[in-house]
Each structure stands twice: as structure tokens, then as C-alpha cells.
Amino acid sequence: MDAENYCIAGRLRMLSRIMTSLYNGAFNGEEVTLPQAGLLMYIFAKPGIRQVELAQLLYIEKSGMNRELQLLQRNGWLTDNLKQGLFLTEEGRVKAKRCHKIWKALNLTMREQLGPEAVSGLDALSGQVFAFIAPAETQQTTTE
Amino acid sequence: MDAENYCIAGRLRMLSRIMTSLYNGAFNGEEVTLPQAGLLMYIFAKPGIRQVELAQLLYIEKSGMNRELQLLQRNGWLTDNLKQGLFLTEEGRVKAKRCHKIWKALNLTMREQLGPEAVSGLDALSGQVFAFIAPAETQQTTTE
DNA sequence: CAATAAAAGTTGCATATACAACTTTGTCGA
DNA sequence: TCGACAAAGTTGTATATGCAACTTTTATTG
């Protein structure tokens, strides 16, 4: 049947849209989006990290990463100089903590809702995709 | 370990970026992107389908769908009136067929590369996500 | 049929990305 | 130290989306 042959990329895009929408909803009160919250939490965990490293970790093109960071900066969450490593402002650290609280609860709930089979399915898929695009590199262990 | 608690939405976004990039590369020669090719193939299979139906099927907001369709129209692949159902031009049908050929081969290759475990993992995840967001509706069987 | 309400389609505005090209910074060897 | 090359960062331009608001169509119903 055709249902067995759905588009892998298309399906991932669809699931990405759906889940992004759910997570974004949870961050509404904080006036941040999921991608923004993710970056805040990441920089909180690794202050001083460089743009290029963050971009590689998340498989985002460096120019897109740069623009995301400029956005965080405009919101007052990142310090001035983006070239010398990324650092949160005090406001940014507060925001990151609040986001982490929301994220942690939601992500746990989501794992429970989806169930272990779906989650391990995502694990298996992730592993294979990472192995496919970077056969030699070490395993992916990012937070986002 | 923290690796066990990665963000579900973030991971899906990452995989979506990665796979989109791979598929887009395959469509380079046709001067279309994966999302565009997907719409062309879908309309090819269901001529006359309405914007709103396509949007619901793919979980894309209707305004975004409208703009994607206008883009296809500008490229000469869709007929004039988007309000009376969507129809490909002759050029559009040719393009859709060429895209389908490319897509079919790539998608099959990708399924083989990722392996049955990863693919059934994606199936399991998809099923749970669809069940979560639309508990009562029938099963998802889209092509994208 | 006319008035409205509901559904579909569009547009304004904003974010999230990608690719290419350009600029700045950093490194290394002569 | 200087110049060349590499790496990182930035900007131009375009697509893919989302939300809200507005317009046009379509349906309902008195």
C-alpha cells in the first residue's frame, strides 16, 4: 500500500511542525519560541560557546544561527559581542531558567504521552540519521 | 544521563532540517524544493483539491499554504484561480512527474539506508503523535 | 430572496532557515 | 612583523511557516 511509502522527509517536517506548535504554545507566556528557548538553555549550560559550534551541534547553517542570536541580543538576553563567545545577560539567565522549567515539565509529559515505543522509535531513527550523515563522528548527545 | 532526555521537538526539528537538506539536494536539478515538489505531487494525485484540505492534511497553516501555492503559480505550475480547487498546468504536470521519479528513488534509498528499525520507529512515533493531537480521527495516510 | 453567519482565501508582519558572497579575525610560515 | 590562507561571522536574498486581521465565497435561514 501507499501508506507504507510515505515521504520520510515530509513526515519529519510534518511532525516537526506539529511538535513545534505544541512546544511554542507552552512558551507563550515567556514570550519566546522553542528555538529561542533552546538556544538560551544551551548557552546557559555552556557559556562562552561559539556560534559555529552551536550551529554544528544543531545542524543549523551558521548564517541562520547568527540571525537567531541577533534576535536574542535584541531581546536583551545576550551580551554585546557575539564574536568572542556567547554569554547571557542576567536577564537572559533568568529567562533561560524559566524556560528550562517549562521545557522540562513539557518534555517529560510529552515522553509519557507518546509512550516508550514512540520515544525509542525516535531514538532509533535519530541514531541512523546521524550515522548516515556523519558515519565516523561520535554519537549525538545534544539537549535540543 | 542527559542524553536520554533530549528535547522531542528539538530533535524532530533537527532531523527535519537534515532530511530536508538531503531531499532538497536531490531536487536541485529540477529547480524545486522538497515542499514544492510535495505539493506538486499531491495536486497531481488529487486534481481539484482545495487549499484548506491540503493544509489540514499536512498540518500547515492555511496562510502558509496559500503562499506556497502562489509560489507554484508564479512558476507556472498552477492554473489561475486558486479558489476553485487546485489544478496543475501542463507544465506543472510534467514537473510533478519528474519530481515523483526523483522522490520515489530517493525515498526508497533513504528507507534502505536508515533500515527497517528506524523506519518503523518513525511509524510508531507518527502514530502516537497523530493519536495525541487528534484522538478521534482516522489514521493518517498522506503521501508527504 | 436578503441578511447573516461560517468557511475559505488573502495579506501584513514576524520568525526560522538555507545558500552565496562578503568582511573580519585569527594563524602560520617566511 | 607581514602577507596569505583559513575560519568565523555577517549580510543579501529567498523560501517555509505561524498568528491575526481582513476579504470574499458559500451556506443557512427567516
Side-chain angles (χ1 to χ4, degrees):
Chain A
M1 298 306 318
D2 209 43
E4 299 302 314
N5 278 358
Y6 64 84
C7 179
I8 300 291
R11 178 58 60 89
L12 278 168
R13 292 176 64 81
M14 191 189 303
L15 295 176
S16 166
R17 286 191 293 271
I18 293 169
M19 295 301 286
T20 297
S21 168
L22 289 172
Y23 279 61
N24 276 340
F27 287 118
N28 260 347
E30 293 296 332
E31 303 268 331
V32 292
T33 61
L34 166 65
Q36 290 166 22
L39 291 179
L40 287 178
M41 293 187 279
Y42 218 95
I43 297 167
F44 184 91
K46 279 204 147 191
I49 192 173
R50 300 248 229 90
Q51 295 186 39
V52 67
E53 190 181 349
L54 213 41
Q56 286 164 358
L57 222 37
L58 302 178
Y59 292 92
I60 289 175
E61 218 275 329
K62 63 181 178 172
S63 63
M65 177 59 69
N66 183 259
R67 285 192 162 92
E68 284 288 301
L69 293 170
Q70 289 182 33
L71 186 59
L72 297 184
Q73 206 178 35
R74 282 202 297 283
N75 284 328
W77 299 324
L78 273 185
T79 55
D80 278 357
N81 194 344
L82 299 184
K83 289 188 181 178
Q84 305 301 314
L86 305 171
F87 297 94
L88 298 179
T89 59
E90 178 53 28
E91 210 184 336
R93 282 190 290 274
V94 170
K95 181 63 71 177
K97 284 181 207 162
R98 296 170 63 88
C99 286
H100 186 265
K101 198 166 186 176
I102 292 170
W103 170 79
K104 194 174 176 183
L106 175 58
N107 205 50
L108 189 60
T109 299
M110 200 54 70
R111 283 169 175 272
E112 289 170 357
Q113 287 291 326
L114 296 177
E117 195 189 344
V119 172
S120 64
L122 178 55
D123 290 345
L125 178 65
S126 299
Q128 286 298 101
V129 171
F130 294 139
F132 179 65
I133 62 174
E137 288 178 29
T138 39
Q139 212 56 35
Q140 196 75 11
T141 54
T142 66
T143 292
E144 196 201 0
Chain B
M1 297 303 305
D2 209 44
E4 300 301 315
N5 278 356
Y6 63 84
C7 179
I8 300 291
R11 178 58 60 89
L12 278 168
R13 291 177 63 81
M14 191 189 303
L15 295 176
S16 166
R17 286 190 293 271
I18 293 169
M19 295 301 286
T20 296
S21 168
L22 290 172
Y23 278 62
N24 275 341
F27 286 118
N28 260 347
E30 293 295 333
E31 303 268 331
V32 292
T33 61
L34 166 64
Q36 290 166 21
L39 291 178
L40 287 177
M41 292 187 279
Y42 217 93
I43 298 168
F44 184 90
K46 277 205 147 190
I49 191 174
R50 299 247 229 90
Q51 295 187 38
V52 67
E53 190 181 349
L54 213 40
Q56 285 164 0
L57 221 37
L58 301 178
Y59 291 91
I60 289 175
E61 219 275 327
K62 62 181 178 172
S63 62
M65 177 58 68
N66 183 258
R67 286 194 162 91
E68 284 288 300
L69 294 170
Q70 290 181 34
L71 186 58
L72 297 184
Q73 205 177 37
R74 282 202 296 283
N75 284 328
W77 299 324
L78 272 185
T79 54
D80 278 356
N81 194 344
L82 298 183
K83 289 187 180 179
Q84 305 301 315
L86 306 171
F87 297 94
L88 297 179
T89 60
E90 178 53 30
E91 210 183 336
R93 282 190 290 275
V94 170
K95 182 63 71 175
K97 283 181 207 162
R98 296 169 64 88
C99 286
H100 187 264
K101 198 166 186 175
I102 292 169
W103 170 79
K104 193 174 176 182
L106 174 58
N107 205 50
L108 189 60
T109 299
M110 201 53 70
R111 282 169 177 271
E112 289 169 358
Q113 287 292 327
L114 297 177
E117 195 190 343
V119 172
S120 65
L122 178 55
D123 290 344
L125 178 66
S126 299
Q128 286 298 101
V129 171
F130 293 139
F132 178 65
I133 63 174
E137 287 177 29
T138 39
Q139 212 55 35
Q140 197 75 7
T141 54
T142 65
T143 292
E144 197 202 357

